[in-house]
Amino acid sequence: MTKKKKASKLTKCRQSTKKGRGRLMLDAYKVGALYDGISECADEAKYVLVENGIFTGTAAWPAEKRLRKQGYSFHDLSRFFLLPGLIDAHVHITLPGNGACAEDFYARSDTSSIFRQAAENAGFALRSGITTVRDCGAVPDIVFRLKREIETGSLSGADLLTCGSSMTVPGGHTHFFQGAADTAKETIRLIRRMREQGADFVKLIATGGGTRGVVQYAQMLSNAQLRAACEEAHKLGTYATAHVCTTATAKSAVNSGVDMMEHLIFADETNSLAFDEQLAETIARREIPVCITMAAINVSLLELERPGRKLTKSEQEERDMLARFKDTIYEGFRRTARNIRYVPGTDAGWRRSGFDSLYACMEPMAQLGYSNLEVLHAATGGAAAALRLPHKGAIAAGRQADFIILDGNPLWDLQQIRHPRMVFKRGQNVYTRAE
């Protein structure tokens, strides 16, 4: 096939999926191979069937005659690989991800410019093949508005789950997301307010982090606040996830009844490994999913270790701290990869982590114990299960038709996900890579 003819087929596919709004749309995508997000192997030579933005199943290539009689429109993508849309389980949509500190970004930005940045982030993620993002802390008024505008189609972007404000203490890590409280009663009040405004889940800051003036390893929310928050989340019909960056605060979070954890770093106060086998076994036994965010550190180290770059004293200190932190995170993952259920997240928006950097978390997962198939499952069907999204993450009847088209097979070469050829959301072609 010539390049001109190949481009013509892709153009027809893009045009045909935009037609017929308001009437029954039956689309059959002929693909050379696919991974459905939930099975233990890939499939070959299939039609993927979509009805008005919802998957209805798959069919073998010989079924074409029958499908034509049923009124399907056909899209020949037989040279390509189809994969469910990727899910980034941890982002901060109202931050820029360009290296700026959150405090500085918010100090110099008005509401309009922050919203504009958030909308750009959601669009960039979608064009990168990430059809769903879970925001784990943002400026609440802005993120709820963005969520509504994406849901109604006013803006094009990855579907957005959000906690609104992350719950912390006054002056604590992520306090600029407007979720600070110093008592259990006040924390509950904030959680209720977030749910009323449209929050999908509750995010709890159990440990310090990179917020200016915060001790990274210190416990933020008290044990009483953690317990009360988890209980309130359950009463409100949702789940609570906790930001944990030390072994000690991971224990506190687990004992408080959290349903999920972010980062899960088995570290002591020096960021050195402090692995706790009993804690790891408890997390595995209770089937508490963990969003691992190796991308944020990897992206920052790539920039700080760029050939020819001369580091300032503070940058050198940051580089040394991140390198030690990376070793601790990697070893913790390596020891628990077979037992704990992990899903990848980028921490996009935070410092240097971009909204296209999911591969920077998926690649080390493959290097440290997961097969490529297990990594792809973690970013699709596995993430959907962990985030309680039964309508997403898989090529299966009844699920939302979010999928990406790749040039090659990511089961053989995981890098294929870095540059999707086409992106579909709810059955609509929302992005086609320029030739």
Side-chain angles (χ1 to χ4, degrees), residues 7 75 79 96 109 132 175 236 239 241 273 286 311 322 351:
H75 312 284
R79 294 170 57 90
S109 304
T132 303
H175 65 84
L236 296 175
Y239 68 94
T241 186
L273 185 68
R286 294 186 187 176
L311 302 180
L322 289 174
R351 296 299 172 87

Side-chain angles (χ1 to χ4, degrees), residues 145-305:
R145 175 189 164 194
L146 179 63
K147 178 180 169 69
R148 289 192 298 270
E149 295 202 14
I150 290 173
E151 287 175 345
T152 60
S154 299
L155 283 174
S156 177
D159 280 347
L160 178 61
L161 306 171
T162 184
C163 64
S165 299
S166 45
M167 300 296 111
T168 188
V169 294
H173 182 47
T174 74
H175 65 84
F176 35 72
F177 293 144
Q178 305 171 18
D182 55 11
T183 67
K185 185 176 181 179
E186 181 65 12
T187 300
I188 289 172
R189 189 182 68 80
L190 285 171
I191 288 171
R192 290 174 180 170
R193 184 195 300 170
M194 291 300 104
R195 282 291 279 173
E196 288 169 0
Q197 293 183 38
D200 299 288
F201 64 99
V202 175
K203 167 75 177 297
L204 307 174
I205 302 298
T207 323
T211 299
R212 191 173 290 156
V214 170
V215 178
Q216 185 272 325
Y217 57 80
Q219 182 162 338
M220 299 284 101
L221 292 172
S222 68
N223 290 345
Q225 287 175 293
L226 291 171
R227 282 194 300 272
C230 291
E231 291 172 1
E232 187 63 24
H234 300 157
K235 288 178 184 177
L236 296 175
T238 188
Y239 68 94
T241 186
H243 162 106
V244 290
C245 296
T246 67
T247 305
T249 51
K251 287 180 182 179
S252 295
V254 169
N255 291 336
S256 298
V258 295
D259 306 285
M260 188 171 178
M261 288 191 283
E262 312 300 310
H263 316 300
L264 183 57
I265 303 172
F266 291 95
D268 61 16
E269 296 180 357
T270 68
N271 293 334
S272 300
L273 185 68
F275 188 74
D276 187 317
E277 187 170 346
Q278 185 175 2
L279 173 62
E281 290 175 353
T282 300
I283 294 167
R285 185 177 67 255
R286 294 186 187 176
E287 297 184 341
I288 300 172
V290 174
C291 178
I292 191 78
T293 56
M294 293 184 274
I297 285 180
N298 289 336
V299 171
S300 290
L301 282 173
L302 278 174
E303 175 60 26
L304 292 170
E305 295 174 348

Side-chain angles (χ1 to χ4, degrees), residues 361-416:
C361 186
M362 295 170 70
E363 181 187 38
M365 292 175 74
Q367 295 170 340
L368 296 170
Y370 273 29
S371 67
N372 282 2
L373 185 143
E374 288 171 326
V375 174
L376 293 171
H377 169 71
T380 55
L387 305 185
R388 307 185 183 194
L389 302 173
H391 62 296
K392 285 179 171 284
I395 313 299
R399 302 214 188 191
Q400 186 169 304
D402 298 342
F403 59 97
I404 60 178
I405 302 298
L406 307 175
D407 289 324
N409 189 332
L411 297 173
W412 302 337
D413 177 13
L414 197 58
Q415 291 197 60
Q416 292 294 328

Side-chain angles (χ1 to χ4, degrees), residues 29-35 42-48 59 61 75-83 405-409 412:
Y29 298 90
K30 184 179 185 180
V31 295
L34 67 90
Y35 172 60
D43 214 340
E44 295 183 349
K46 290 288 185 180
Y47 282 107
V48 173
W61 281 3
H75 312 284
D76 186 0
L77 300 170
S78 55
R79 294 170 57 90
F80 306 115
F81 191 99
L82 186 146
L83 186 71
I405 302 298
L406 307 175
D407 289 324
N409 189 332
W412 302 337

